[in-house]
Amino acid sequence: MWCRILSSSFFLRLRSPNVAAFKSAALAGVFAVLLFSVPGVAAQHTPLTEQQVDARVNALLGQMTLEEKIGQLAQLPGMAFGPGAVKPEEHLRKGEGGSVLWLNETAKINQLQRVAIEQSRLHIPVLFGLDVIHGYRTIFPVPLATAASWDPSLVEQAQTIAAREASAAGIRWTFGPMVDIARDPRWGRIVEGAGEDPFLGAAMARAQVRGFQGPYVGSPEHVLACAKHFAGYGAPDGGRDIDSAYIPEELLRNVYLLPFHAAVEAGVGSFMSAYMDLNDVPATGNRFLLHDVLRGEWGFRGFVVSDAFSVQGLIPHGFARDPQDAAYRALTAGLNMDMASGIFLQNLGPLVKQGRISPAQIDEGVRPILATKIRLGLFEQPYVDESRVEQVLNAPEHRQFARTAAQRSMVLLRNENQLLPLDKKVSSIAVIGPLADSKQDTEGSWAVMGQPSDAVTVLEGIRNKLGPGVRIEYAKGPEIKRDIPSFFDVFRPGPKAPPQTPAEAEDAFNKAVDAARRADVAVMVLGELANMSGEGASRSSVDLPGRQQQVLEAVVATGKPVVLVLINGRPLNLAWAAEHVPAILEAWYPGTEGGNAVANILFGDANPGGKLPVTWPRSVGQIPIYYAHNLTHQPETSRGFVSRYWDGLSSPLYPFGFGLSYTKFAFSNLQLNQTQVRVGQKLDVAVDVENTGSRAGDEVVQLYIHQQAGSASRPVRELKGFQRITLAPGERKTLHFSLGKEELSFWSPQAKKWVEEPENFDLWVGADSTATLHTTFKVNP
Ligand code: NOJ
């Protein structure tokens, strides 16, 4: 699809883009060091008032020609194009380009900025944007993983570091956070979001916006954030990336839009429209989304950029007749900036001349872009200090935090007979699997500026941990690869080793099993390559790719204790493993320090405390599966029904919110300060949590509610509160949660508005979405 769009676009007679290879007290301590230790950085400016910004925007608009205004609405790819194509410099000289993306060299950024500032008539600076999704050079775990930390402060701090590195390198705008709710693990981009739940998703959206932007747009060492992909991109038919999404308004408002709204409330400065069509109207030309909801209802004052080439994409969508029509529909729907397709640049001028678009509409489009540049301080500080870049990127304290983030993101799915943590005094270990020693795959997808050489693999992490006294035997086993190559493979740097021949793969299989036979314990590192997850990486199966399942079964058959470490970005088929492999650790794509973090958990220097941000299916046939489904006229547990399928259970393999620890927690004493409240009043919920084991550990205490009746069926459970806490052995804490209008309201399809209804509610508190500690309360009129 990319290729189709690229080849038909004005900008890209491009063949292949010429982009260079593209809580604790401890946390607070690291963060404090980060904040105050970077030399040469002083506060650049304080936030301007609305009036100051408006006055400067008006003054600029007063001097700009129509062409210069339209120029600000165009985002140019930063690379040179194919034969006959115009270089970004040439556009910028003429004031044709408000922003440039996909540039990753600081010197080039400065050079282009110089063209815009010194050679264009009005000297308006360029806003440089890039996908800084889970780190710039220091790569943090993928967003699905950090959501599994259930720790918004950790997520905020990780994105603060990402912003520090990106801004030091000249990037002032990231295309993140991705806040798309995803309930279908076939969809490759589930890895980029916070999973299936709107409450958790909203918390992660807010945390990321705060981390990227800091306290205000223009905070020193921060970047502009961009909430994407607006909206419904996470619900494509069949999990096929960019396919149509059909989401009824009640589901849209109660689920899919909530994290976007949270991002607006957190002050996000920009939005990105999605590729797919939502209920038959492509998001990039969807006035209901971009105008009515975003600006009308939510009062968003920033600007909206299209996804790459998606203005152009309105034509193949069968929505716009031609490029001019595409430009017309996108602008009038509420889009401000055309990412990379050149359609605005070429067509808005003629549309104004024809009187189809008014000069005032162009002004409205440009206003928030200029305002953002002013707020960012770009006019005052357009250039970056190239000498400082290396000092900031991959700084030791950034890496240290990346390790903490990875540890806190991992989810222990199984631990029979307390196989984990392993004894460091073990005499030999077999480390097996195609992901055990792959640096690039340890970082995951969208590690645009990550250097694979920085990454620590699981094999290296185990070696670092155990030293030379323990015999560690590595066996890769049969390699895995995508059947259909990824668009992003061109960005995978380094020489490509020739793939294994069938005979070599067979040999590698046998060597893996032999290695396990010789060892005291086998650590199997299986999952998916980074390019099997992410954009353009949807699947029709969720099985372990290649022969990994067979190797796993053969190694388990040796009778040796086996620990399965998963490196991946979506729930995979673990039905067999969940019964036969004694220990399973979901490590996700853990980032630069991933291997050290895995080793810390495997050998007990860290205690896992992450929880699933997604429901884990038993098989691909259960998808979509999510915990917050509605009840039916015949609830599953009544009348002896055990499953909605006759060929398997309809319950998931692992529920949403699930994750084990090396210690145990007990919940008791669930109390409400009142069992009846009036509409609009708040309710306090208290619960005691005790660490009943012998190690310190973390629990994520989760609160769920269910509205028993009302103007619409409500989900069987909905997450409405969570807190991650650390408890010493034997320690007990009383936690408090507050429930009020926000938590108890929903968008009613009958009332066609948000309502808090006077009804009875169930409430549960516990360690996952199957929590059993229960009480009820009533909301009165
Ligand atoms: C396409 C992706 O869908 C989007 O998430 C990304 O930000 C843009 N390309 C820019 O790289």
Side-chain angles (χ1 to χ4, degrees):
M1 179 301 327
W2 268 81
C3 298
R4 192 151 47 87
I5 289 184
L6 296 182
S7 57
S8 59
S9 101
F10 151 74
F11 270 124
L12 279 196
R13 283 149 263 163
L14 164 137
R15 291 191 191 125
S16 76
N18 171 24
V19 195
F22 255 102
K23 171 150 83 147
S24 62
L27 294 189
V30 171
F31 194 48
V33 173
L34 294 175
L35 267 182
F36 302 112
S37 66
V38 179
V41 175
Q44 295 157 48
H45 47 83
T46 47
L48 300 169
T49 62
E50 290 275 314
Q51 291 82 349
Q52 286 170 319
V53 174
D54 283 351
R56 285 179 62 179
V57 170
N58 288 336
L60 264 175
L61 281 174
Q63 299 172 61
M64 291 168 82
T65 62
L66 176 66
E67 290 70 29
E68 285 164 337
K69 291 175 184 172
I70 292 171
Q72 290 299 309
L73 305 181
Q75 186 179 51
L76 316 173
M79 71 286 272
F81 305 120
V86 181
K87 289 188 177 154
E89 289 79 332
E90 291 168 36
H91 283 295
L92 295 177
R93 208 164 277 133
K94 292 188 271 177
E96 291 177 348
S99 173
V100 170
L101 85 162
W102 296 326
L103 259 193
N104 54 7
E105 291 164 57
T106 306
K108 180 76 182 166
I109 287 173
N110 271 342
Q111 182 211 322
L112 283 186
Q113 190 68 290
R114 229 165 263 124
V115 173
I117 303 273
E118 293 170 12
Q119 299 178 29
S120 76
R121 195 178 71 91
L122 289 175
H123 323 292
I124 299 176
V126 178
L127 176 56
F128 291 93
L130 190 72
D131 293 275
V132 181
I133 305 300
H134 53 112
Y136 183 75
R137 168 78 178 266
T138 308
I139 301 298
F140 295 96
V142 290
L144 189 65
T146 50
S149 74
W150 292 60
D151 183 352
S153 73
L154 175 138
V155 169
E156 179 177 343
Q157 291 171 31
Q159 299 302 34
T160 301
I161 294 170
R164 160 170 299 149
E165 291 192 356
S167 59
I171 299 299
R172 306 296 290 271
W173 180 20
T174 178
F175 306 129
M178 186 192 102
V179 302
D180 294 305
I181 295 291
R183 295 177 161 186
D184 187 336
R186 293 171 300 182
W187 187 52
R189 301 193 79 172
I190 191 172
V191 63
E192 291 176 52
E196 75 181 44
D197 184 70
F199 189 85
L200 181 63
M204 293 302 162
R206 282 190 287 269
Q208 294 195 72
V209 171
R210 285 194 303 263
F212 283 135
Q213 291 190 168
Y216 57 89
V217 170
S219 304
E221 291 200 90
H222 284 80
V223 296
L224 180 71
C226 180
K228 71 184 188 185
H229 308 82
F230 198 52
Y233 185 44
D237 279 352
R240 294 178 292 270
D241 200 11
I242 72 170
D243 231 327
S244 304
Y246 289 96
I247 309 177
E249 190 167 4
E250 56 273 21
L251 194 58
L252 193 64
R253 291 187 180 272
N254 285 318
V255 176
Y256 288 89
L257 292 186
L258 288 188
F260 286 100
H261 190 211
V264 171
E265 286 180 331
V268 72
S270 71
F271 259 58
M272 186 186 292
S273 66
Y275 277 133
M276 50 3 103
D277 56 28
L278 173 67
N279 302 332
D280 291 341
V281 182
T284 295
N286 194 315
R287 192 170 160 84
F288 166 73
L289 285 175
L290 304 187
H291 180 269
D292 301 355
V293 173
L294 183 57
R295 294 195 167 89
E297 293 178 26
W298 298 350
F300 175 66
R301 302 285 306 274
F303 69 91
V304 185
V305 65
S306 72
D307 202 337
F309 310 101
S310 71
V311 179
Q312 151 85 26
L314 296 177
I315 306 165
H317 241 124
F319 184 67
R321 283 182 291 270
D322 51 39
Q324 206 172 84
D325 195 29
Y328 175 82
R329 286 172 187 252
L331 188 95
T332 55
L335 193 86
N336 301 82
M337 190 180 275
D338 167 12
M339 183 186 281
S341 80
I343 294 269
F344 270 11
L345 215 46
Q346 282 199 323
N347 294 285
L348 288 179
L351 281 165
V352 173
K353 289 198 181 84
Q354 291 158 25
R356 292 188 64 207
I357 285 182
S358 68
Q361 281 174 296
I362 298 289
D363 283 3
E364 280 319 295
V366 185
R367 241 172 219 292
I369 296 172
L370 294 176
T372 304
K373 291 185 176 186
I374 292 166
R375 285 188 196 289
L376 282 171
L378 270 183
F379 287 83
E380 292 75 21
Q381 297 208 343
Y383 304 114
V384 265
D385 177 356
E386 290 171 38
S387 68
R388 196 176 146 255
V389 183
E390 279 310 311
Q391 198 186 322
V392 178
L393 304 193
N394 205 26
E397 61 271 27
H398 296 183
R399 293 191 64 123
Q400 189 187 326
F401 194 76
R403 187 184 306 188
T404 304
Q407 275 160 210
R408 290 175 73 82
S409 300
M410 291 179 192
V411 184
L412 183 63
L413 295 174
R414 194 162 196 251
N415 196 17
E416 291 301 287
N417 302 320
Q418 299 188 318
L419 175 58
L420 292 178
L422 299 172
D423 188 346
K424 286 181 204 155
K425 296 201 193 83
V426 63
S427 65
S428 61
I429 297 192
V431 181
I432 298 170
L435 295 155
D437 197 30
S438 168
K439 288 175 176 285
Q440 182 145 29
D441 298 304
T442 301
E443 292 192 330
S445 62
W446 270 140
V448 179
M449 289 302 292
Q451 302 294 314
S453 56
D454 293 343
V456 179
T457 65
V458 174
L459 176 66
E460 291 169 331
I462 292 176
R463 283 193 176 132
N464 295 343
K465 171 77 49 194
L466 298 180
V470 179
R471 192 174 64 79
I472 299 169
E473 188 173 350
Y474 163 59
K476 186 179 191 182
E479 286 169 351
I480 52 176
K481 71 171 178 54
R482 281 177 56 136
D483 303 333
I484 300 170
S486 164
F487 167 81
F488 291 96
D489 287 347
V490 294
F491 306 122
R492 279 173 86 91
K496 313 254 177 304
Q500 285 170 340
T501 62
E504 285 166 344
E506 196 52 41
D507 187 46
F509 189 116
N510 295 331
K511 282 188 172 138
V513 181
D514 289 346
R517 277 202 193 98
R518 281 190 289 270
D520 291 347
V521 55
V523 174
M524 304 216 46
V525 190
L526 309 180
E528 295 187 325
L529 303 176
N531 72 356
M532 293 174 169
S533 189
E535 188 174 352
S538 290
R539 300 183 63 191
S540 57
S541 146
V542 290
D543 292 346
L544 283 165
R547 296 176 69 193
Q548 295 181 98
Q549 180 69 30
Q550 286 167 269
V551 184
L552 180 63
E553 292 185 16
V555 169
V556 170
T558 63
K560 292 295 166 88
V562 176
V563 179
L564 171 59
V565 175
L566 290 163
I567 301 284
N568 59 322
R570 57 155 65 86
L572 293 168
N573 183 351
L574 293 185
W576 186 89
E579 283 187 27
H580 298 96
V581 181
I584 307 177
L585 178 70
E586 173 54 90
W588 314 104
Y589 296 110
T592 304
E593 281 286 324
N596 287 329
V598 167
N600 278 349
I601 289 194
L602 293 185
F603 294 95
D605 290 332
N607 189 350
K611 302 275 187 165
L612 292 177
V614 281
T615 300
W616 199 290
R618 293 175 189 277
S619 68
V620 76
Q622 286 189 319
I623 296 170
I625 185 168
Y626 48 93
Y627 82 94
H629 57 82
N630 282 1
L631 289 167
T632 66
H633 84 115
Q634 215 170 48
E636 218 170 322
T637 46
S638 73
R639 302 196 197 180
F641 282 96
V642 290
S643 180
R644 298 245 176 265
Y645 300 120
W646 64 256
D647 61 350
L649 295 173
S650 49
S651 61
L653 188 63
Y654 299 115
F656 174 82
F658 173 77
L660 301 170
S661 163
Y662 296 155
T663 186
K664 292 238 168 312
F665 297 92
F667 294 78
S668 61
N669 211 12
L670 177 58
Q671 299 210 340
L672 308 182
N673 66 339
Q674 43 193 333
T675 52
Q676 305 216 7
V677 285
R678 286 188 184 287
V679 166
Q681 276 185 344
K682 280 191 186 299
L683 184 74
D684 180 80
V685 182
V687 67
D688 289 351
V689 188
E690 185 180 350
N691 180 346
T692 56
S694 53
R695 276 174 183 267
D698 283 14
E699 181 56 288
V700 178
V701 183
Q702 302 164 42
L703 182 151
Y704 295 87
I705 63 163
H706 167 64
Q707 181 175 325
Q708 292 179 358
S711 66
S713 300
R714 300 302 302 139
V716 58
R717 287 184 185 204
E718 291 179 277
L719 181 73
K720 292 295 177 182
F722 64 89
Q723 294 180 45
R724 180 167 177 158
I725 52 163
T726 304
L727 293 180
E731 188 181 353
R732 171 194 285 246
K733 254 188 200 158
T734 302
L735 300 187
H736 290 268
F737 295 89
S738 176
L739 291 178
K741 193 171 188 58
E742 199 173 324
E743 290 77 21
L744 302 177
S745 299
F746 71 101
W747 197 88
S748 165
Q750 298 218 74
K752 294 245 172 279
K753 59 177 185 188
W754 288 91
V755 292
E756 182 187 357
E757 295 183 336
E759 294 291 351
N760 291 320
F761 287 78
D762 293 296
L763 183 152
W764 298 263
V765 177
D768 62 47
S769 58
T770 65
T772 50
L773 193 58
H774 173 249
T775 188
T776 57
F777 66 93
K778 187 168 186 193
V779 174
N780 292 315

